[in-house]
Amino acid sequence: MTLALSIVLVIASVLLIVLVLLHKGKGGGLSSMFGGGVSSQLSGSSIAEKNLGRITIGVGILWFVCAIGLGLLLKFNL
């Protein structure tokens, strides 16, 4: 069980990093320093961005649950 949770945690971690990097920069941060803030702001929030946000939240919750579950398993040696 510990091995399965560890594998899911690693996969969720990598996926979470990729998903966060896919988000469009809001300006003023590191993304605007590297040219991310140059894009026009005429278009509003698209369906793809909303879905990307929802998927990111879902993977974040999965990562959190796996981290807590793995910690509990290792603490109680189950």
Side-chain angles (χ1 to χ4, degrees):
M1 186 68 166
T2 305
L3 179 64
L5 271 179
S6 297
I7 291 171
V8 172
L9 185 64
V10 169
I11 291 171
S13 298
V14 171
L15 190 58
L16 195 59
I17 291 170
V18 171
L19 288 171
V20 167
L21 289 175
L22 283 175
H23 279 278
K24 186 171 75 170
K26 302 296 182 201
L30 286 176
S31 63
S32 64
M33 183 189 314
F34 296 112
V38 177
S39 64
S40 70
Q41 297 180 5
L42 294 176
S43 63
S45 180
S46 68
I47 301 291
E49 290 178 34
K50 289 180 184 177
N51 288 337
L52 182 62
R54 291 178 186 147
I55 293 170
T56 305
I57 291 172
V59 173
I61 291 171
L62 175 69
W63 182 88
F64 182 76
V65 168
C66 286
I68 297 297
L70 188 61
L72 290 174
L73 282 175
L74 292 175
K75 181 178 181 181
F76 295 119
N77 293 326
L78 296 176

